[in-house]
Amino acid sequence: MRLRAALLAGTNADPGLVDALVARCAIEPDFFVRDMLTWALTRVPAEITLPRLLAELDSARTQARSQALHTLSKIGDRAAWPAITRSLLHDPDDEVARSAWRAAVVLVPDGEQHALAIDLAAQLGRGDRNVRLSLSRALVTLGDVIESTLQTGLASGDPAVRAHARATRQLLHDPDAGFDLAVDEANRIAALGPERVGGTAC
């Protein structure tokens, strides 16, 4: 019923429903319903939805922040870029941070990619496999600008950071490479050294 209601809201694209849709995003437990709510919000003109979504970024509720960031990434209006703060990029909640990374690489203006890459690369080694994969994908989206920023990670004294940086670099050069294989290879190099695995680190 909630899924059908969200679908109907998006089909009608009624600006008068924006507040209700955003409020529901903050508490809706079902992923598919939340995704439909986001779609419904993208159907309304950005000048109406953006102020309401930006207000959610200050919410104490983690789902509210995460879903608002996700919706902003789908809308893709760079007017929202100033709201993607460092505190959101480094949010202690992994889901909020992952949503912030995805939004940031979509919204970042030309000329700001390098600074964003530095901020993202500072979190190499964070979290579980899914978090690290999200961070790697966000970094790779920025393109070759991340090469220099990955060097800091590759030189880290933390083996997890080095492995994550190396796996991200491998994905940059070979997007078809599987993340798990890249991590396994990076971990082997970190443990044994490049000279012990038959070549230089990628």
Side-chain angles (χ1 to χ4, degrees):
M1 185 182 297
R2 299 195 310 278
L3 189 63
R4 288 197 301 270
L7 175 61
L8 183 61
T11 302
N12 292 335
D14 181 357
L17 294 177
V18 166
D19 283 350
L21 293 172
V22 172
R24 188 65 203 176
C25 282
I27 59 173
E28 172 55 51
D30 187 277
F31 168 82
F32 295 104
V33 177
R34 291 199 305 273
D35 211 40
M36 190 64 75
L37 290 167
T38 285
W39 172 78
L41 286 164
T42 65
R43 300 267 297 156
V44 178
E47 61 267 22
I48 297 172
T49 56
L50 251 59
R52 187 66 181 84
L53 291 168
L54 295 178
E56 288 292 277
L57 299 183
D58 293 323
S59 173
R61 189 185 292 271
T62 56
Q63 183 172 303
R65 300 197 304 277
S66 176
Q67 197 65 25
L69 286 162
H70 174 67
T71 306
L72 288 170
S73 74
K74 294 300 183 183
I75 293 172
D77 190 324
R78 287 184 169 179
W81 167 248
I84 310 301
T85 61
R86 194 170 188 274
S87 63
L88 288 170
L89 294 172
H90 294 260
D91 198 285
D93 184 271
D94 287 339
E95 289 307 310
V96 175
R98 291 171 70 190
S99 296
W101 302 338
R102 289 190 291 265
V105 298
V106 169
L107 302 174
V108 61
D110 292 339
E112 297 286 341
Q113 290 92 343
H114 182 65
L116 176 59
I118 292 173
D119 226 347
L120 295 182
Q123 299 184 77
L124 288 166
R126 172 179 174 167
D128 61 15
R129 175 196 177 277
N130 289 332
V131 173
R132 295 183 189 191
L133 177 56
S134 290
L135 182 56
S136 291
R137 284 175 171 166
L139 282 163
V140 167
T141 299
L142 295 174
D144 291 340
V145 71
I146 71 171
E147 283 277 16
S148 60
T149 62
L150 289 177
Q151 293 303 317
T152 301
L154 292 168
S156 172
D158 185 336
V161 173
R162 291 199 306 273
H164 193 186
R166 190 169 282 112
T168 302
R169 190 178 181 197
Q170 183 170 333
L171 288 177
L172 175 66
H173 294 295
D174 183 7
D176 294 327
F179 182 73
D180 291 328
L181 291 176
V183 170
D184 288 344
E185 178 67 10
N187 282 330
R188 279 206 310 142
I189 293 172
L192 301 176
E195 69 283 353
R196 298 279 299 279
V197 292
T200 57
C202 58

